[in-house]
Structure formats: structure tokens, C-alpha cells
Amino acid sequence: VQLQASGGGVVQAGDSLRLSCAASGLTGSSYVMAWFRQFPGREREIVAAISRNGNTKHYADSVKGRFTISRDNPENTVYLQMNSLKPEDTATYLCAADRRYNGDYLGSLNSRDQDYWGQGTLVTVSS
């Protein structure tokens, strides 16, 4: 199983980026997918999550209205469209797959419970 994240880079405040996470070796539609981010010296925090069928989404308060998570199950790919980027969005972004989650609130996804992780892609936003 492999999650391959891509799309990070260096941008200016107000710019946009789209992150992609391509999954191989698993059936994407069987997994809740999420994007986490990690700041140096801090634990990973959830940014956005999407249900198996894509109908339910969750966003951290800090990114609501700016980020959009989506998935293409036939292509086993999850996306994170990031608009109006801010310097405080600078972090390493990681995609994750959770097979067991069956809760009602995607915001309760825990980084410790994820089954698979991508390698992370660095997003740097300059002011």
C-alpha cells in the first residue's frame, strides 16, 4: 500500500495550491481519507476529511471557506484545493487513510488511528 502525496510548493499569501494523494494497493472507496498537517515540534492536526462516498466532509475551523477536499474513487485519488493561502498555513501536509472509522463526526479522526500515511508534501506560504 502506498499513498503518494504531491502538489506542495512555495507560494505567496493569497495564492492557491492543489494537493493530490494517489493511493495504490488499496481500494480507495473503502477508506475514509484525510489531510493532516504538521508544524515543526507539534503534533499532526487534521485539516480536512472526506467520507468513503465523498458525501460528508469535515474542515478544521482554520481552513473553512478556503480549503476544499474531494476524492475520485475510480482513480483512488484525494485532493485538497487550498485557496487564499496564509503564512500560517506553512506546514508539511500529509494524506492518510482510515479503514475502520465508522463514527458520525469526521472531525474526531485521530492521527494515531490512521492505517496508512503518505510521505508528506511541504507547503510554504510567504507573506
Side-chain angles (χ1 to χ4, degrees):
V1 174
Q2 185 176 17
L3 300 182
Q4 183 69 41
S6 61
V10 180
V11 297
Q12 293 188 330
D15 286 349
S16 299
L17 280 174
R18 188 174 84 151
L19 306 183
S20 299
C21 176
S24 58
L26 56 79
T27 302
S29 58
S30 298
Y31 290 77
V32 169
M33 299 296 294
W35 286 96
F36 290 77
R37 64 186 178 186
Q38 188 160 26
F39 304 102
R42 292 169 55 181
E43 289 191 6
R44 293 174 182 177
E45 64 178 41
I46 191 167
V47 176
I50 187 166
S51 62
R52 292 173 178 84
N53 61 11
N55 288 343
T56 303
K57 302 174 184 180
H58 166 80
Y59 299 96
D61 288 343
S62 58
V63 306
K64 277 180 183 176
R66 299 188 299 123
F67 291 11
T68 302
I69 189 170
S70 61
R71 67 189 298 162
D72 184 338
N73 281 342
E75 295 295 325
N76 273 356
T77 302
V78 177
Y79 303 97
L80 185 67
Q81 177 67 41
M82 306 187 295
N83 298 331
S84 302
L85 282 161
K86 304 176 181 180
E88 50 263 44
D89 294 319
T90 296
T92 296
Y93 286 73
L94 306 102
C95 60
D98 188 327
R99 183 174 183 180
R100 294 162 289 178
Y101 184 81
N102 278 310
D104 295 328
Y105 176 54
L106 291 175
S108 65
L109 282 173
N110 192 309
S111 63
R112 290 184 291 274
D113 295 332
Q114 302 304 299
D115 294 293
Y116 302 106
W117 288 94
Q119 83 284 10
T121 184
L122 180 62
V123 172
T124 303
V125 185
S126 61
S127 58

